[in-house]
């Protein structure tokens, strides 16, 4: 039985064309600044999001941490959302390594920062305000350009810089029918990942002003992120940037197909209209949703859980429409195999 892995869009494998590009990459020592493929990737990434410069790093967590360390000194504050990836999934690197206090502002159900608590937080004079787009824990929602512009305007008026954690930025741009550069135009720095929807095996970039990114290079080395012949992996990221952005539309279509099918499965609660990107969240009725995930895994469908009753499935490069249809059949069987307590 073939396993259908919907845990995350990070589980993708390089395509044969991407592997070829990686095998044939020109390389040098990136710490010494002479890897031509890394340089080409950084130029292309910066151009895609309308920023002056970019820095290739091993992970999105490192990209976000660098943004925080660049903007904040020890003892200073950074505003983050209550459901943000920086707060919940990045090992609290900013407080632990940078002595940065994270001032938490509530997110609404679509990932936006609530205005009144944001205003209160800004009165304390934070050095940085962080946004996330798409917003993972808030249903994979695409945060609008108008919200980003409003938050950035308030933050800049208060003397704070703005960073956008754009791990899935191109998914957000597709959902909002705009381009990635527009979504981060009002931000001082922005990061995005190559290893999620874009399907590369490794890496993210931090983008921003040239002087700031120059400083980030030194910080990257302090964090252990200096890589030598990194062109091998940068070639995969560059291939993804050039060939995999447009195909994200397929992932969004498959996510909607998945959401509509899940809505017809007894025992599952989901609003298909709330699915904006490649992330599909739903809830399972009954006292023990862990049993549902176990039954689902036994049926060859892998999903992740973000809360006791909440399940996430992610469509990606390795999942076709026929895979989604098969996953729905297996999901229905998994629900039917459980005690009646989980049925509506």
């Amino acid at each position: 039985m073939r396993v259908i892995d919907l845990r995350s869009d990070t589980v993708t494998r390089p395509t044969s064309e991407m592997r070829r590009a990686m095998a044939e990459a020109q390389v040098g020592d990136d710490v010494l600044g002479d890897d031509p493929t890394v340089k080409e990737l950084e130029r292309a990434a910066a151009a895609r999001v309308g920023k002056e410069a970019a820095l290739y790093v091993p992970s999105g967590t490192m990209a976000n941490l660098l943004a925080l360390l660049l903007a904040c000194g020890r003892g200073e504050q950074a505003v983050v959302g209550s459901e943000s990836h920086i707060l919940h999934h990045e090992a609290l690197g900013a407080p632990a390594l940078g002595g940065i206090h994270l001032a938490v502002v509530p997110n609404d159900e679509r990932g936006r920062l609530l205005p009144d608590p944001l205003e209160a937080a800004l009165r304390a004079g934070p050095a940085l305000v962080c946004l996330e787009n798409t917003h993972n824990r808030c249903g994979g929602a695409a945060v609008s350009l108008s919200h980003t512009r409003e938050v950035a305007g308030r933050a800049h008026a208060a003397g704070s810089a703005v960073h956008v954690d754009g791990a899935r930025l191109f998914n957000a741009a597709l959902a909002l029918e705009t381009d990635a550069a527009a979504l981060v135009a009002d931000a001082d720095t922005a990061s995005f990942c190559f290893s999620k929807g874009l399907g590369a095996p490794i890496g993210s970039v931090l983008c921003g002003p040239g002087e700031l990114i120059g400083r980030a290079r030194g910080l990257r080395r302090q964090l252990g992120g200096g890589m030598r012949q990194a062109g091998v992996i940068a070639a995969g990221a560059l291939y993804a940037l050039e060939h995999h952005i447009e195909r994200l539309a397929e992932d969004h279509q498959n996510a909607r197909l998945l959401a509509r099918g899940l809505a017809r499965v007894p025992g599952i609660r989901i609003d298909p209209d709330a699915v904006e990107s490649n992330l599909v969240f739903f809830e399972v009725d009954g006292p023990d949703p862990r049993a549902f995930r176990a039954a689902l895994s036994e049926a060859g469908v892998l999903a992740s859980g973000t809360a006791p009753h909440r399940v996430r499935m992610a469509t990606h490069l390795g999942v076709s429409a026929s895979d989604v249809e098969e996953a729905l059949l297996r999901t229905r069987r998994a629900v039917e195999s459980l005690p009646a307590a989980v049925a509506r």
Side-chain angles (χ1 to χ4, degrees):
M1 178 176 59
R2 191 175 91 82
V3 172
I4 302 171
D5 195 341
L6 300 171
R7 289 173 297 173
S8 176
D9 46 11
T10 61
V11 303
T12 58
R13 307 290 176 86
T15 64
S16 58
E17 295 85 358
M18 184 183 289
R19 289 178 185 271
R20 188 174 303 112
M22 295 169 71
E24 297 173 355
Q26 291 185 312
V27 299
D29 188 324
D30 183 46
V31 173
L32 300 179
D34 62 7
D35 190 300
T37 305
V38 172
K39 288 181 176 181
E40 184 180 358
L41 173 64
E42 290 173 343
R43 285 193 295 267
R48 279 278 186 173
V49 297
K51 299 301 182 187
E52 186 179 1
L55 178 67
Y56 186 47
V57 297
S59 69
T61 295
M62 183 177 286
N64 289 336
L65 178 57
L66 285 170
L68 284 151
L69 292 174
L70 287 167
C72 304
R74 289 190 173 274
E76 292 188 315
Q77 289 188 356
V79 171
V80 297
S82 60
E83 298 301 318
S84 66
H85 196 277
I86 288 173
L87 180 65
H88 290 277
H89 303 294
E90 299 188 2
L92 296 177
L97 302 177
I100 300 165
H101 173 66
L102 298 181
V104 179
V105 169
N107 289 114
D108 69 11
E109 70 282 357
R110 305 310 294 166
R112 295 167 296 211
L113 296 178
L114 296 184
D116 290 343
L118 174 61
E119 280 296 331
L122 288 173
R123 285 196 288 272
L128 182 68
V129 175
C130 299
L131 296 169
E132 183 176 331
N133 207 4
T134 61
H135 202 294
N136 175 26
R137 290 171 64 93
C138 294
V143 179
S144 70
L145 171 59
S146 61
H147 180 71
T148 300
R149 184 168 291 159
E150 178 186 356
V151 170
R154 293 185 181 195
H156 289 149
S160 305
V162 175
H163 172 66
V164 173
D165 171 6
R168 298 180 176 90
L169 183 65
F170 295 100
N171 293 92
L174 174 63
L176 296 169
E177 299 182 342
T178 185
D179 61 71
L183 287 180
V184 298
D186 296 290
D188 300 277
T189 57
S191 61
F192 67 85
C193 292
F194 298 108
S195 58
K196 293 186 170 70
L198 297 186
I202 301 170
S204 293
V205 283
L206 176 67
C207 305
E211 183 275 333
L212 208 61
I213 297 303
R215 288 171 49 206
R217 290 186 186 277
L219 287 173
R220 181 185 68 174
R221 192 166 188 182
Q222 280 186 324
L223 297 175
M227 299 178 285
R228 299 300 180 177
Q229 286 72 43
V232 173
I233 54 174
L238 185 61
Y239 184 91
L241 193 64
E242 293 173 345
H243 297 279
H244 287 173
I245 291 177
E246 287 74 16
R247 67 148 308 280
L248 292 174
E250 180 182 341
D251 296 342
H252 288 208
Q253 291 166 3
N254 286 339
R256 290 191 290 270
L257 175 66
L258 178 62
R260 290 193 297 267
L262 288 169
R264 294 192 290 270
V265 177
I268 286 178
R269 288 178 283 117
I270 184 173
D271 177 8
D273 293 334
V275 175
E276 292 185 324
S277 62
N278 68 317
L279 303 182
V280 178
F281 289 80
F282 59 93
E283 294 186 351
V284 182
D285 290 332
D288 190 7
R290 289 172 297 182
F292 165 76
R293 289 198 290 273
L296 199 61
S297 179
E298 185 69 22
V301 178
L302 303 183
S304 59
T306 60
H309 287 264
R310 200 174 189 221
V311 179
R312 188 188 82 169
M313 291 180 171
T315 56
H316 51 77
L317 179 64
V319 175
S320 65
S322 61
D323 290 330
V324 169
E325 296 285 8
E326 177 64 23
L328 287 168
L329 288 173
R330 297 183 192 181
T331 299
R332 181 178 286 274
R333 292 187 197 125
V335 170
E336 291 171 350
S337 72
L338 296 173
V342 300
R344 279 198 185 107

